[in-house]
Amino acid sequence: MIGKIDDSGTIKNPFTATRDLRIMRSRIKDSGAVAISTMLVATARRKSVNTALKGGSLDQPEWKIEYLELMDNDIGRDGAMALGRSLSVGMNTTLSSLVLDFNRTLLSDGVAALCRGLATNSTLKKLSLKHCGIDEKGGGPIAKMLLFKRLGLISLDLTGNCLGAVGLADICVGLLDNSSLKTLRLAENSIGHAEEDMKSLNIFADVLSKNKSLIAVDLLHNRIGSAGGSILLPSVQGSAQITEFKVDSNMDDEIYYSLYKMSISEKPVKKKKSSKKQR
């Protein structure tokens, strides 16, 4: 994929047209992630005979990877740190989608390492961290990333982790001042109907009433019950832009259907007055 490598380790005739790289269930671990991180920022260089004699070099095009998926590869903190650094300011600017699903060894420490780099990235649009063993400690680093004013992230998928009430409340700190994120998926994250959960849902409801960019929210498989649904309903109904809001059906039917069916298409739309004069 990257070209031929000679005995000295120099890449000959690098192939740089690849835009989509997917490595799944291959156990590349941290060392593999570090190698890919190097590739994300590398520019292959080689010298022609004439140019070399003049002491110059010919720059080859960068590998302009746009989509990177490393699902289920046992990547941990070190690999995540390398990926984060490769995507920090001044580094890679071509990657728009990063999928690290089912790297259960990533954990909250890995997410923190990754987010330190992404907190200065303005070009990544999609980040998926499904089933990565993220607990309540992961909410803070994610919030710091969301607070970056020039963040370009549109979609964040945290499905299948254990953020819980504390993690949700921490993420809300970042969401409150974020203006890029449109889709947030928090399905199956151990958010329930205990007192602490209700406090976090109140904070989340406040965010939903103030955030002007979120259009899709997924809270499926979190047993927030009727109490949680009642907390969220006024903010969702009052939102002018939310078109998708998913929750479990383990609540009062009226509350459930009011939340699930909320969409901008069902809200009254004011007709614009025609500027043409009637004949």
Side-chain angles (χ1 to χ4, degrees):
M1 182 198 72
I2 63 174
K4 294 181 179 179
I5 303 177
D6 64 17
D7 294 337
S8 67
T10 302
I11 299 173
K12 299 285 188 179
N13 301 315
F15 179 73
T16 59
T18 300
R19 297 291 182 266
D20 188 326
L21 177 58
R22 303 171 191 242
I23 303 175
M24 297 176 280
R25 301 184 181 90
S26 298
R27 299 187 67 187
I28 65 170
K29 300 188 176 182
D30 287 340
S31 58
V34 170
I36 291 170
S37 300
T38 303
M39 179 183 170
L40 286 175
V41 296
T43 298
R45 294 173 181 269
R46 64 175 180 175
K47 294 181 179 181
S48 67
V49 175
N50 292 333
T51 309
L53 290 174
K54 297 176 182 178
S57 65
L58 290 177
D59 289 348
Q60 300 301 310
E62 294 179 350
W63 287 290
K64 297 180 180 179
I65 303 295
E66 297 173 0
Y67 181 96
L68 177 60
E69 182 171 359
L70 302 174
M71 187 183 78
D72 195 8
N73 274 296
D74 296 335
I75 296 171
R77 180 181 178 277
D78 291 344
M81 180 181 294
L83 288 168
R85 286 175 175 171
S86 73
L87 296 170
S88 60
V89 64
M91 296 296 187
N92 181 282
T93 58
T94 64
L95 195 71
S96 59
S97 297
L98 176 60
V99 180
L100 297 175
D101 299 344
F102 292 95
N103 283 289
R104 295 183 174 88
T105 51
L106 197 65
L107 307 177
S108 292
D109 285 345
V111 169
L114 176 68
C115 287
R116 274 196 291 274
L118 296 183
T120 59
N121 180 291
S122 59
T123 54
L124 190 71
K125 303 300 181 185
K126 175 185 176 181
L127 177 61
S128 186
L129 299 169
K130 296 190 288 188
H131 300 278
C132 285
I134 308 169
D135 62 14
E136 59 187 25
K137 296 178 182 178
I142 292 170
K144 289 180 180 178
M145 175 188 68
L146 293 173
L147 284 170
F148 180 47
K149 294 299 182 183
R150 294 194 296 115
L151 191 74
L153 197 66
I154 294 174
S155 175
L156 176 60
D157 196 337
L158 298 167
T159 298
N161 289 292
C162 296
L163 287 163
V166 174
L168 174 61
D170 287 344
I171 288 175
C172 285
V173 175
L175 288 173
L176 198 58
D177 290 324
N178 178 275
S179 59
S180 68
L181 201 66
K182 296 183 181 297
T183 300
L184 176 63
R185 304 204 177 279
L186 293 168
E188 197 179 344
N189 259 283
S190 302
I191 303 168
H193 52 269
E195 183 178 352
E196 187 176 28
D197 296 299
M198 295 301 105
K199 289 179 180 178
S200 294
L201 288 172
N202 268 302
I203 296 171
F204 189 47
D206 183 56
V207 168
L208 293 176
S209 66
K210 296 176 180 177
N211 183 286
K212 302 303 179 185
S213 63
L214 277 175
I215 62 174
V217 177
D218 185 355
L219 287 172
L220 281 170
H221 310 302
N222 291 294
R223 302 186 67 80
I224 63 174
S226 297
S230 298
I231 290 171
L232 298 172
L233 184 57
S235 295
V236 177
Q237 287 180 327
S239 172
Q241 76 278 350
I242 291 179
T243 60
E244 176 188 328
F245 200 90
K246 294 182 178 180
V247 291
D248 262 13
S249 59
N250 61 331
M251 59 180 68
D252 179 80
D253 286 347
E254 184 177 350
I255 298 173
Y256 170 71
Y257 285 115
S258 296
L259 283 169
Y260 197 83
K261 291 186 176 182
M262 282 303 298
S263 70
I264 200 165
S265 62
E266 293 173 341
K267 297 174 184 178
V269 178
K270 293 183 179 179
K271 293 183 178 180
K272 294 182 178 180
K273 293 183 179 180
S274 176
S275 59
K276 295 181 180 180
K277 294 182 178 179
Q278 292 181 350
R279 293 181 179 179

